[in-house]
Amino acid sequence: MNEIVANPGAEDAKTAAAVGDNGERYPSFAALRERRTYEATGTNVALVHPGHIDQHDTDIQMHGELSNASSSQPPQGLCLLAAIVKEFGYNPCVIDAEPFGLDVASTARLIMEHNPRYVGMTSYTPTIVIASQLALELKRLAAEKGQEITIIIGGPHVTFRSEDALTKFQAFDIGVYGEGEISIVELLDALEQGEPLDDIPNLVFRRDDEVIRTKRRSSLMDMDELPLPAWDMLPSLKDNYHPAGDNMNRLPGACITTSRGCPAKCYFCNPRSLGSGFRGNSAEYIVRMFEQLHFDYGIRDIFMSDDMFTFDRDNVLRFCELLKQSKADVTWSCFCRVDYVDEEMLAAMKSAGCWQIGFGLESGSQDVLVNINKNQSTELMEHAIRITHEAGIGVRGMFMVGGFGETHETIKETLAFIKRNPIHYFHISFFTPYPGTPAFKLAPRYGEYLESAGDESDLTSHDPSFVPHGLTVEEMIAYQKLMYRTLIKPVVVWNYFKKMRDPLVARRIIKGALAFFKYVLKPTRNKKYRVAKVVEH
């Protein structure tokens, strides 16, 4: 790769005029379309989701012992980037190792079959080591073939730990942090022309022994400027992807994101990753995505995984009206906060096919909610649950065990909360202070990390990594299982039973149920943890 040198800056008034008020050459995606002059010549670009199986054939079990009840969702972000780089003259392919259980070696061989000049990967913190292993294997295979290859890493981990990612993992050549839709085109264009990278926002790269991080790009404000994701670059959506057991209504199903940013300031999250200001697709764009997935790929149910889908109330109401007018036979579900629902909106959502809303409840203890800066009361949580239930929409409760200040008493408060509220579907994870979040800095005040979580890549919310003062890891696991058992109510069983009229859904539910009951009913005996018994109250 050419040596990266300092950018000489704008050389004439024309170039200066092309730079936006924030100093960016392309301040919007529309500006990229209008101003870009370089014409790419079809260079091969592989966009990769590495999966969970490392070079030693060890599955890191992203969902722990409940993996058989978990989801397998298509990588929308990579499909969007594929559509973008294709529009600008490159020849992309998308490789998703996860649904096929591919290990590092198999994934690398599959990637090299496409003869890529550039490989872009996405990675969360738990999979960053596997991504690094894959990058090393790709470099080895490319060297054997005498082929030049540049590895670009993106995703949440490099967004939160930009400089560290390139310092620690030398196989990555360049990192793209934050939003990458414009930066990836600028980066590829610059690499193809041998131009410097210093003025391209959202990049991390090496120069000699120094890791350089360029300025942050302004948030993408008009998301409707982006093309629809190139789902056709994945293997069959309906055959290889499926929702989780607690989010399954009809099959085939798919998951999409329609907005970015969150104004909330929960300590365990990092809104800075894509900006704290809310930005979303218009109702018209979302309906286009629904229709594309339904008519082109046979999808019958869609889960919108946005943190704040209902933040823009008027857009939600408009979406409901447009979806009812559409001929797409699609049901759907979403996430939202308890302070962003009301009776009129819920009625509109129900009439447009919404069957479930997931609320980030986290805890039934007000003290824990305050300690994690959730900024919601248990009273407001109960109100949102009640009006959602009354609207005929299923409530999916998302809880965490081990939040800041968690004690035996706060767990009892959560158990009581669960018992008295109509929660039809549920997910319980372990509170994990991830790098880049406010919780990561606050963690020593409230507890300690396990020795097994000494490496950041070992952090996962599906197994305990952080233990609050006064609790043990064995107690946390036992309490999680007790909470799961408490949530198994007759109405919950009946809801799942009704869905089993569809053989495809029945097969998935039975598979997930077997994994679920095996987990929650067995004692916790393994190499990590002792047996723990918790008295049920």
Side-chain angles (χ1 to χ4, degrees), residues 50-51 54-55 104 121-140 151 153 157 165-172 206 457:
D54 66 15
Q55 62 183 355
V104 166
M121 300 184 195
T122 183
S123 179
Y124 292 92
T125 293
T127 58
I128 190 65
V129 170
I130 291 178
S132 176
Q133 292 173 355
L134 178 58
L136 285 169
E137 180 65 7
L138 286 169
K139 291 289 183 71
R140 187 186 70 80
I151 308 292
I153 183 70
H157 185 81
L166 262 68
T167 300
K168 187 173 183 180
F169 302 107
Q170 294 291 313
F172 301 139
R206 299 185 196 87
S457 63

Side-chain angles (χ1 to χ4, degrees), residues 73 75 118 134 163 204 212-213 317 366 399 463 499 536:
Q73 301 293 1
Y118 306 104
L134 178 58
E163 294 93 334
V204 190
I212 309 296
R213 175 182 163 124
L317 295 176
Q366 191 62 51
F399 293 93
D463 285 307
K499 295 179 182 180
E536 300 193 25

Side-chain angles (χ1 to χ4, degrees), residues 207-222:
R207 180 184 295 122
D208 299 325
D209 295 329
E210 183 182 5
V211 174
I212 309 296
R213 175 182 163 124
T214 65
K215 65 183 178 182
R216 175 177 287 274
R217 183 180 294 281
S218 301
S219 296
L220 182 66
M221 300 308 296
D222 187 353

Side-chain angles (χ1 to χ4, degrees), residues 85-104:
V85 299
K86 182 177 181 180
E87 176 182 339
F88 289 102
Y90 293 93
N91 182 35
C93 67
V94 177
I95 306 294
D96 186 4
E98 181 179 334
F100 303 103
L102 299 179
D103 61 11
V104 166

Side-chain angles (χ1 to χ4, degrees), residues 390-428:
E390 291 175 351
I393 298 174
V395 175
R396 185 186 186 194
M398 316 297 286
F399 293 93
M400 296 189 295
V401 177
F404 290 157
E406 190 84 277
T407 65
H408 300 283
E409 292 303 316
T410 62
I411 290 286
K412 293 176 185 178
E413 292 179 66
T414 299
L415 289 168
F417 182 93
I418 289 171
K419 289 178 180 178
R420 67 175 179 263
N421 283 286
I423 299 171
H424 312 99
Y425 308 90
F426 43 83
H427 180 81
I428 306 170

Side-chain angles (χ1 to χ4, degrees), residues 25-178:
R25 182 178 297 273
Y26 305 119
S28 68
F29 197 78
L32 176 65
R33 283 190 172 120
E34 294 169 1
R35 301 174 183 176
R36 178 177 178 265
T37 57
Y38 176 69
E39 294 185 9
T41 57
T43 304
N44 291 340
V45 179
L47 299 167
V48 183
H49 180 209
H52 305 150
I53 301 179
D54 66 15
Q55 62 183 355
H56 306 296
D57 200 29
T58 300
D59 191 334
I60 65 171
Q61 291 289 316
M62 284 284 289
H63 302 282
E65 294 182 59
L66 293 174
S67 289
N68 280 340
S70 65
S71 65
S72 175
Q73 301 293 1
Q76 179 182 351
L78 292 183
C79 291
L80 176 58
L81 292 180
I84 288 170
V85 299
K86 182 177 181 180
E87 176 182 339
F88 289 102
Y90 293 93
N91 182 35
C93 67
V94 177
I95 306 294
D96 186 4
E98 181 179 334
F100 303 103
L102 299 179
D103 61 11
V104 166
S106 300
T107 305
R109 288 194 298 270
L110 181 59
I111 293 168
M112 293 304 293
E113 289 177 6
H114 295 269
N115 293 313
R117 174 63 184 84
Y118 306 104
V119 176
M121 300 184 195
T122 183
S123 179
Y124 292 92
T125 293
T127 58
I128 190 65
V129 170
I130 291 178
S132 176
Q133 292 173 355
L134 178 58
L136 285 169
E137 180 65 7
L138 286 169
K139 291 289 183 71
R140 187 186 70 80
L141 293 176
E144 287 182 354
K145 297 175 62 176
Q147 179 178 333
E148 188 175 5
I149 192 170
T150 299
I151 308 292
I152 304 165
I153 183 70
H157 185 81
V158 73
T159 294
F160 299 151
R161 308 284 284 183
S162 302
E163 294 93 334
D164 181 71
L166 262 68
T167 300
K168 187 173 183 180
F169 302 107
Q170 294 291 313
F172 301 139
D173 296 309
I174 303 169
V176 178
Y177 69 90

